[in-house]
């Protein structure tokens, strides 16, 4: 029996539409659930005051600061290393067995569970280098964790820059480095920003690797060698130890909103940059 | 071949290998200064490969290597001590497809001068005006220099690319690789007019698929076929009484 193209078309549209709808619905449900349970407990007092009784009362200000500082430190370390590696792999070397092995290794690294990075960070930074549980140990560990993502997304972004741009740049007497700076990186920026956003998202959401390396102190961090607690870790501890369900959900709500804000800010910055170049 | 101008570029037994393929099989050519050399020939004849050998853009393609001698003002441009970056500032290139970089018209034009270290705003302004005028684009864009080059039409973009080449103050030779293949007749006429004026100052090598274009603007014409240069002479002779039968067949349209 032959099904008419009209019917297959209708079936395809319905199925694909349903899949999309289901995905979005789950996402919306989670956000509404978290915000509904958490937002009623969120106020200025909660955001900007110190926690009391292990977080049973008071606010989350030190964890808010930790959530900003730790991913920032991770990206500050991983961005130059990652983009540098991507530029080297795409612009400065030919495709050889070595680059293929390097790329394979990077892909493997991206698939390793975060707890292993945490364990490595604990053994290497915290114990061997005697840095202790601190912002720097955590930042370095998270940097290693997000590095593969940043390298691969940057590499793809750099590869997608049309080769004709490079040829024009070289034909006008640019060196390879000048071409990278003036033509390749500006045009790869949207892709690089996407990689950075993924990296920030992963760092903000990470708990296992953070507890092992940055610790979970509730004090305000005063230097890179102080232990910090991020909102994710705070949420985990509040919920796990049964300290306070309300405070846990309130923390989760703040977490969700901050991730949303970071993404919005990054994308609007990127769009402004692109618009400026093609106006 | 009387009253010859001084030789600008001299090529002896130039061979270019691309992987196992031999793209150019020993080309000999002496190109006089301050005139337009047209290069004609069917697709795959090695015309583009020849151009890209003259500013060493072939260096960028992996597994390409060049043999033979290529002299610019008597100096071997493939000598290890020869500065490639300086070479490309002296030997500019216009590509078949116009490639405006995703930046403003102004920044497109001053791309080369900025690389050479020109910082003075007034001097950059002068360069932009001079180059855009020479490329017959100034009147169309003078009020919107901060606009992105990508928003120009194809014909305008190609003239912007020409202006970008002309902006280089070290420029001596202009290589054009089928610069009008995607352009409308009016834009083509503007580019051709610009070239006939520019030859007073520069040496121009024009690769073209359009034999009529070579007949219109070239002083000398060379016919390439299968990686070899078949014939080279004054344009009038090549198009009326060529020595080689293959040249005759090509210019009269028997194959192409």
């Amino acid at each position: 029996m032959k099904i008419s193209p009209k019917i297959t078309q209708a079936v395809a549209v319905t199925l694909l539409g349903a899949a999309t709808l289901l995905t979005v619905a789950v996402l919306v449900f989670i956000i509404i659930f978290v915000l509904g349970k958490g937002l009623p407990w969120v106020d200025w007092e909660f955001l900007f005051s110190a926690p009391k009784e292990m977080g049973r009362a008071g606010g989350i200000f030190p964890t808010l600061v930790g959530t900003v500082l730790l991913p920032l430190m991770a990206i500050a370390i991983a961005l130059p290393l990652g983009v540098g590696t991507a530029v080297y792999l795409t612009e400065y070397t030919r495709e050889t067995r070595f680059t293929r092995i390097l790329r394979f290794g990077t892909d493997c690294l991206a698939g390793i569970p975060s707890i292993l990075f945490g364990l490595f960070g604990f053994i290497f930074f915290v114990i061997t280098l005697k840095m202790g549980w601190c912002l720097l140990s955590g930042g370095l560990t998270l940097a290693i964790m997000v590095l593969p993502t940043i390298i691969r997304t940057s590499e793809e972004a750099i590869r997608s820059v049309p080769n004709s741009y490079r040829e024009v740049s070289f034909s006008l007497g640019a060196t390879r480095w000048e071409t990278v700076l003036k033509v390749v990186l500006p045009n790869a920026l949207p892709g690089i920003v996407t990689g950075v956003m993924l990296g920030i998202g992963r760092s903000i959401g990470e708990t296992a690797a953070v507890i092992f390396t940055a610790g979970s102190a509730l004090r305000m961090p005063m230097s890179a060698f102080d232990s910090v607690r991020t909102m994710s870790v705070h949420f985990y501890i509040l919920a796990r130890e049964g300290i306070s369900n309300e405070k846990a959900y309130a923390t989760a709500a703040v977490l969700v909103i901050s991730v949303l804000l970071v993404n919005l800010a990054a994308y609007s910055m990127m769009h402004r940059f692109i618009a400026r170049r093609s106006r | 071949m009387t009253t010859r101008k001084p030789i600008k570029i001299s090529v002896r037994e130039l061979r270019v290998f691309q992987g196992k393929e031999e793209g150019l099989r020993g080309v000999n050519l002496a190109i006089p200064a301050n005139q337009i050399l047209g290069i004609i020939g069917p697709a795959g004849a090695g015309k583009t490969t020849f151009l890209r050998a003259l500013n060493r853009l072939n260096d960028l393609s992996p597994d390409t290597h060049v043999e033979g001698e290529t002299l610019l003002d008597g100096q071997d441009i493939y000598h290890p001590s020869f500065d490639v970056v300086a070479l490309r500032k002296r030997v500019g290139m216009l590509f078949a497809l116009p490639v405006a970089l995703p930046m403003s018209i102004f920044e497109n034009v001053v791309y080369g001068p900025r690389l050479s270290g020109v910082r003075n705003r007034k001097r950059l302004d002068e360069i932009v005006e001079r180059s855009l005028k020479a490329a017959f684009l100034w009147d169309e864009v003078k009020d919107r220099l901060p606009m992105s080059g990508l928003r120009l039409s194809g014909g305008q973009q190609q003239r912007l690319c020409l202006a970008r080449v002309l902006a280089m103050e070290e420029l001596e030779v202009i290589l054009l690789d089928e610069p009008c293949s995607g352009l409308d007749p009016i834009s083509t006429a503007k580019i051709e007019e610009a070239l006939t004026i520019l030859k007073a100052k520069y040496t121009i090598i024009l690769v073209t698929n359009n034999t009529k274009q070579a007949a219109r603007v070239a002083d000398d014409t060379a016919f390439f076929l299968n990686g070899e240069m078949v014939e080279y002479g004054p344009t009038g002779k090549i198009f009326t009484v060529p020595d080689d039968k293959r040249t005759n067949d090509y210019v009269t349209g028997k194959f192409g």
Side-chain angles (χ1 to χ4, degrees):
Chain A
M1 189 188 78
K2 193 150 164 39
I3 305 166
S4 88
K6 249 189 184 162
I7 292 175
T8 50
Q9 170 75 358
V11 170
V13 168
T14 317
L15 284 180
L16 295 176
T20 313
L21 204 69
L22 192 68
T23 316
V24 175
V26 169
L27 189 68
V28 169
F29 174 76
I30 292 174
I31 291 176
I32 289 178
F33 180 79
V34 169
L35 292 186
K37 283 215 154 194
L39 268 189
W41 311 97
V42 177
D43 52 20
W44 293 117
E45 167 87 35
F46 178 73
L47 287 177
F48 294 110
S49 67
K52 295 180 193 104
E53 306 166 36
M54 304 295 289
R56 195 167 289 117
I60 54 162
F61 191 54
T63 71
L64 200 71
V65 173
T67 308
V68 172
L69 289 183
L70 197 60
L72 259 185
M73 180 164 273
I75 293 300
I77 298 164
L79 185 65
L81 283 178
V83 174
T85 306
V87 168
Y88 179 75
L89 282 178
T90 48
E91 303 289 318
Y92 283 88
T93 49
R94 293 200 186 143
E95 196 66 18
T96 60
R97 181 186 287 266
F98 173 69
T99 58
R100 273 194 293 276
I101 290 173
L102 215 63
R103 193 167 297 120
F104 179 71
T106 315
D107 284 346
C108 289
L109 218 56
I112 288 177
S114 58
I115 184 79
L116 286 184
F117 286 103
L119 214 57
F120 166 77
F122 178 69
I123 293 166
F124 186 65
F125 298 122
V126 178
I127 307 287
T128 308
L129 296 186
K130 297 189 174 67
M131 287 160 60
W133 283 321
C134 68
L135 191 56
L136 190 60
S137 302
L140 285 165
T141 307
L142 289 182
I144 298 173
M145 196 178 84
V146 300
L147 205 50
T149 315
I150 292 187
I151 292 174
R152 293 297 268 139
T153 47
S154 304
E155 213 189 328
E156 291 311 314
I158 289 170
R159 269 184 214 291
S160 71
V161 174
N163 219 10
S164 55
Y165 290 1
R166 294 184 183 86
E167 289 209 326
V168 163
S169 177
F170 284 121
S171 77
L172 293 167
T175 61
R176 195 166 282 278
W177 176 240
E178 286 163 340
T179 302
V180 166
L181 277 190
K182 294 188 72 159
V183 174
V184 175
L185 286 183
N187 286 290
L189 192 73
I192 295 173
V193 170
T194 307
V196 168
M197 294 315 302
L198 288 171
I200 291 180
R202 239 190 123 182
S203 317
I204 289 183
E206 185 53 45
T207 51
V210 175
I211 295 177
F212 268 103
T213 55
S216 58
L218 261 178
R219 290 184 311 273
M220 192 63 149
M222 288 305 163
S223 83
F225 295 99
D226 278 357
S227 169
V228 287
R229 182 187 287 199
T230 63
M231 284 193 275
S232 298
V233 172
H234 191 53
F235 171 80
Y236 170 75
I237 291 173
L238 290 181
R240 174 87 217 285
E241 319 261 315
I243 294 171
S244 162
N245 253 336
E246 292 86 21
K247 296 289 182 194
Y249 276 116
T251 311
V254 176
L255 194 56
V256 166
I257 291 170
S258 10
V259 170
L260 224 63
L261 284 181
V262 169
N263 274 292
L264 280 178
Y267 280 108
S268 82
M269 248 162 57
M270 194 172 79
H271 280 296
R272 211 170 304 160
F273 178 81
I274 294 170
R276 193 158 52 86
R277 288 167 62 83
S278 55
R279 188 168 53 223
Chain B
M1 296 214 194
T2 50
T3 64
R4 271 283 169 251
K5 291 168 175 146
I7 300 300
K8 186 73 188 171
I9 296 174
S10 154
V11 170
R12 259 199 300 264
E13 282 304 307
L14 179 67
R15 291 171 191 277
V16 178
F17 299 87
Q18 289 147 330
K20 291 193 180 87
E21 302 252 325
E22 196 173 355
L24 278 187
R25 306 154 184 267
V27 169
N28 292 287
L29 201 56
I31 303 167
N34 297 103
Q35 62 173 43
I36 302 178
L37 168 68
I39 297 181
I40 57 171
K47 309 183 298 281
T48 300
T49 309
F50 177 70
L51 273 198
R52 292 167 65 97
L54 298 183
N55 67 349
R56 290 185 58 179
L57 217 53
N58 279 331
D59 291 14
L60 301 178
S61 339
D63 22 275
T64 295
H65 89 269
V66 177
E67 286 174 11
E69 193 181 59
T70 311
L71 306 178
L72 174 66
D73 287 336
Q75 279 185 305
D76 185 359
I77 64 168
Y78 282 93
H79 193 273
S81 69
F82 202 93
D83 181 357
V84 191
V85 167
L87 168 74
R88 297 198 183 122
K89 286 174 183 167
R90 290 168 66 191
V91 183
M93 184 160 187
L94 199 60
F95 297 85
L97 291 173
V99 181
L101 293 172
M103 45 182 83
S104 70
I105 294 172
F106 186 92
E107 285 304 324
N108 262 285
V109 178
V110 299
Y111 192 91
R114 273 200 201 280
L115 290 174
S116 297
V118 181
R119 292 279 175 274
N120 183 309
R121 179 72 196 191
K122 204 164 147 257
R123 194 142 151 248
L124 289 173
D125 284 338
E126 284 163 13
I127 290 173
V128 167
E129 183 169 348
R130 167 181 68 75
S131 313
L132 286 171
K133 276 181 174 161
F136 289 116
L137 188 60
W138 174 251
D139 290 332
E140 290 159 63
V141 301
K142 64 183 174 201
D143 300 320
R144 40 182 183 151
L145 296 177
M147 189 184 86
S148 168
L150 297 178
R151 288 186 49 193
L152 295 174
S153 75
Q156 288 173 326
Q157 281 195 26
Q158 192 61 306
R159 278 177 280 148
L160 176 63
C161 295
L162 180 60
R164 194 169 58 192
V165 171
L166 297 175
M168 293 192 288
E169 293 175 319
E170 305 90 335
L171 188 70
E172 297 165 24
V173 179
I174 309 174
L175 311 174
L176 302 106
D177 186 8
E178 298 172 24
C180 304
S181 49
L183 301 191
D184 61 279
I186 294 172
S187 297
T188 302
K190 282 185 176 166
I191 298 239
E192 287 177 5
E193 194 185 345
L195 293 183
T196 50
I197 296 170
L198 288 168
K199 73 175 177 183
K201 202 173 160 197
Y202 307 106
T203 304
I204 297 173
I205 304 174
L206 169 68
V207 161
T208 177
N209 264 336
N210 178 350
T211 46
K212 291 200 183 88
Q213 182 171 51
R216 278 195 300 269
V217 299
D219 298 293
D220 287 348
T221 297
F223 173 57
F224 276 53
L225 186 66
N226 296 328
E228 285 170 36
M229 196 202 58
V230 173
E231 192 169 354
Y232 168 53
T235 300
K237 178 169 182 295
I238 295 286
F239 280 93
T240 50
V241 283
D243 293 329
D244 198 289
K245 183 173 178 301
R246 291 169 294 175
T247 314
N248 191 45
D249 288 351
Y250 184 72
V251 297
T252 53
K254 288 212 177 101
F255 75 99

